[in-house]
């Protein structure tokens, strides 16, 4: 039986490398720049490639690469990408017993990469939303030690509670990386769900959204997060680093300086790397942070969300410093 089951989307990602002159700077956009096309033009791309991704698939690959038995539970379409995703998972040694095929196209993302480090994603949320929880053979599942729940969007977000309740009943630990649809459920509802969760992972923007505290007050956000969820709380801050709290102990680590080729999957790589580190070190949080950062750094150095993930024996954690203090 798998030691970890991952939940979340499976997508067919198409990466397009845009010519730089498609980027315009303008204060009219929140980020200060935009990708723009002349209406009716045909634009030559510098490069393109396909890859599989989606939170559930990305995180399953990290666990598999780390030598942890893993199954993916999610749904794909009755189409060629759906078939190919299942083949790839199987060939890679990821258990597919809980994968459903549904009558809607497989999720698809078109990722516009410019020479800036940010990318723009056009997302079609298809089959992944249609995972039918009644068709999941829960009875076959009561052996794993962990559920890793990647962001569940659209209607699938409603299944969050069922997943964590099943886990709690069966003494399965839960790590959850909430997405925007889940954060939109509101604090009261989430507090109920998070009582059954061991590790909560958010990026700074999401943590700010959930706590209603501005992003520049990281410690304030973490203190508030500890009121909402009493287990381990993780806030990733992109190029800046990571904050982790476990009760009143606060860990702070910096990101590695690296040339970002493609940021897709960074959050998944950190989260699943962190949990892999915990599992393999008998719950040493510092080790989890090092594995998470090492895996995310390795992920963003190459194109695609799963191509750069660390292998079990790759290691450069020694270079990652983790500071430990108290929340006052
Ligand atoms: N520009 C960067 N330089 C170095 N490391 C980075 C950079 N961006 C992300 N990382 C690494 O990836 C981790 C997760 O990144 P981030 O906080 O941006 O997550 P996210 O916003 O959830 O990502 P995603 O867009 O994949 O959901 C960071 O903690 C860091 O280790
Ligand atoms: Mg994220």
């Amino acid at each position: 039986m798998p030691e970890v089951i991952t939940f979340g989307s499976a997508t067919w990602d198409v990466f397009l490398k845009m010519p730089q002159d498609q980027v315009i700077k303008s204060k009219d956009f929140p980020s200060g720049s935009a990708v723009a096309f002349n209406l009716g033009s045909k634009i030559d791309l510098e490069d393109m490639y396909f890859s599989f991704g989606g939170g559930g698939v990305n995180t399953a690959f990290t666990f598999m690469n780390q030598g942890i038995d893993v199954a993916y539970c999610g749904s794909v379409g009755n189409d060629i990408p759906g078939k190919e995703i299942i083949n790839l998972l199987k060939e890679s040694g990821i258990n597919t017993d809980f994968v459903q095929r549904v009558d809607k196209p497989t999720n698809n993302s078109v990722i516009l990469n410019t020479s800036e480090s940010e990318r723009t994603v056009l997302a079609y949320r298809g089959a992944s939303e249609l995972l039918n929880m009644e068709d999941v053979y829960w009875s076959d599942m009561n052996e794993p030690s962990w559920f890793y729940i990647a962001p569940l969007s659209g209607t699938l977000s409603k299944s969050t509670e069922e997943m964590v309740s099943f886990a709690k009943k069966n003494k399965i630990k839960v790590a959850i990386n909430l997405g925007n649809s889940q954060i939109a459920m509101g604090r009261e509802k989430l507090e109920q769900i998070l009582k059954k969760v061991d590790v909560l992972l958010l990026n700074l923007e999401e943590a700010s959204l959930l706590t209603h505290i501005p992003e520049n007050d990281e410690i304030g956000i973490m203190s508030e997060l500890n009121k909402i969820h009493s287990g381990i709380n993780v806030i990733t801050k992109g190029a800046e680093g990571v904050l982790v709290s476990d009760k009143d102990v606060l860990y702070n680590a910096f990101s590695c300086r690296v040339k970002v080729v493609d940021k897709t999957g960074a959050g998944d790589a950190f989260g699943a790397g962190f949990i892999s580190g915990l599992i393999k070190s008998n719950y040493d949080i510092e080790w989890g942070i090092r594995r998470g950062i090492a895996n995310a750094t390795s992920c963003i150095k190459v194109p695609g969300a799963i191509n750069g993930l660390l292998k079990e024996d790759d290691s450069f954690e020694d270079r990652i410093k983790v500071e430990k203090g108290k929340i006052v």
Side-chain angles (χ1 to χ4, degrees), residues 177 203 206 267:
N177 177 199
N203 66 23
E206 293 155 350

Side-chain angles (χ1 to χ4, degrees), residues 1 39 42 57 103 113 135 169 207 214 295 298:
M1 271 313 281
L39 194 62
K42 191 177 269 185
V57 168
D103 207 11
N113 279 328
D135 290 347
K169 233 189 285 156
N295 196 39
S298 181

Side-chain angles (χ1 to χ4, degrees), residues 15 49 52 58-59 61-62 65 119 258-271 273 291-311 314 316:
F15 295 79
Y49 54 92
F52 294 110
N58 295 342
T59 51
F61 269 93
T62 283
N65 280 1
R119 76 270 194 253
V258 62
K259 184 177 175 324
V260 181
V261 173
D262 175 15
K263 233 210 87 179
T264 313
D268 297 327
F270 178 86
R291 243 314 86 161
I293 292 181
N295 196 39
T297 308
S298 181
C299 171
I300 63 182
K301 282 200 283 197
V302 299
I306 56 177
N307 301 327
L309 299 173
L310 284 187
K311 296 285 186 293
D314 297 344
F316 59 88

Side-chain angles (χ1 to χ4, degrees), residues 6-286:
T6 68
F7 298 82
S9 60
T11 57
W12 169 242
D13 290 336
V14 183
F15 295 79
L16 307 180
K17 178 85 175 74
M18 310 297 298
Q20 171 59 8
D21 60 11
Q22 300 306 137
V23 177
I24 54 165
K25 305 268 177 205
S26 164
K27 290 202 179 79
D28 289 342
F29 300 96
S31 69
S33 47
V35 184
F37 311 101
N38 181 44
L39 194 62
S41 294
K42 191 177 269 185
I43 313 291
D44 286 330
L45 298 171
E46 282 181 14
D47 196 7
M48 71 160 299
Y49 54 92
F50 301 102
S51 176
F52 294 110
V57 168
N58 295 342
T59 51
F61 269 93
T62 283
F63 290 112
M64 194 269 305
N65 280 1
Q66 293 300 313
I68 295 168
D69 271 345
V70 59
Y72 166 58
C73 178
S75 51
V76 297
N78 269 313
D79 47 14
I80 294 170
K83 187 171 153 215
E84 290 301 321
I85 288 176
I86 293 175
N87 284 345
L88 179 75
L89 291 168
K90 276 191 183 148
E91 277 167 16
S92 310
I94 295 167
N95 180 316
T96 57
D97 290 353
F98 306 112
V99 177
Q100 296 175 10
R101 304 224 35 199
V102 298
D103 207 11
K104 198 175 181 187
T106 298
N107 282 31
N108 193 315
S109 287
V110 176
I111 296 140
L112 306 179
N113 279 328
T114 57
S115 54
E116 318 264 316
S117 65
E118 281 305 330
R119 76 270 194 253
T120 306
V121 182
L122 311 177
Y124 169 69
R125 304 191 199 280
S128 284
E129 276 192 7
L130 296 191
L131 179 73
N132 185 347
M133 298 298 284
E134 285 171 10
D135 290 347
V136 178
Y137 295 104
W138 295 109
S139 58
D140 289 348
M141 263 198 200
N142 48 16
E143 295 286 337
S145 354
W146 280 88
F147 273 7
Y148 186 102
I149 306 176
L152 306 177
S153 57
T155 49
L156 187 58
S157 64
K158 298 198 184 88
S159 301
T160 313
E161 192 164 14
E162 193 175 339
M163 287 173 192
V164 300
S165 296
F166 177 86
K168 185 78 184 170
K169 233 189 285 156
N170 291 283
K171 301 194 170 54
I172 299 166
K173 290 192 174 61
V174 180
I176 191 164
N177 177 199
L178 294 175
N180 288 339
S181 306
Q182 290 155 302
I183 292 172
M185 288 180 200
R187 176 163 173 168
E188 209 175 309
K189 177 90 191 153
L190 281 174
E191 277 184 17
Q192 291 307 314
I193 291 175
L194 292 172
K195 277 186 188 142
K196 299 171 185 164
V197 163
D198 298 274
V199 179
L200 169 64
L201 301 130
L202 297 166
N203 66 23
L204 186 59
E205 190 186 349
E206 293 155 350
S208 164
L209 202 65
L210 178 59
T211 57
H212 299 289
I213 295 176
E215 288 184 25
N216 58 12
D217 181 10
E218 291 168 10
I219 302 298
I221 292 179
M222 189 56 103
S223 302
E224 195 60 25
L225 216 50
N226 284 341
K227 291 181 200 152
I228 297 173
H229 172 242
S230 61
I232 297 173
N233 286 308
V234 179
I235 302 175
T236 61
K237 302 182 290 175
E240 300 297 311
V242 187
L243 268 186
V244 178
S245 81
D246 181 19
K247 306 196 179 63
D248 62 341
V249 184
L250 186 69
Y251 301 82
N252 181 40
F254 297 97
S255 294
C256 300
R257 262 203 231 146
V258 62
K259 184 177 175 324
V260 181
V261 173
D262 175 15
K263 233 210 87 179
T264 313
D268 297 327
F270 178 86
F274 178 73
I275 300 299
S276 302
L278 290 190
I279 292 174
K280 300 196 85 172
S281 67
N282 204 16
Y283 299 97
D284 178 337
I285 291 191
E286 289 185 34

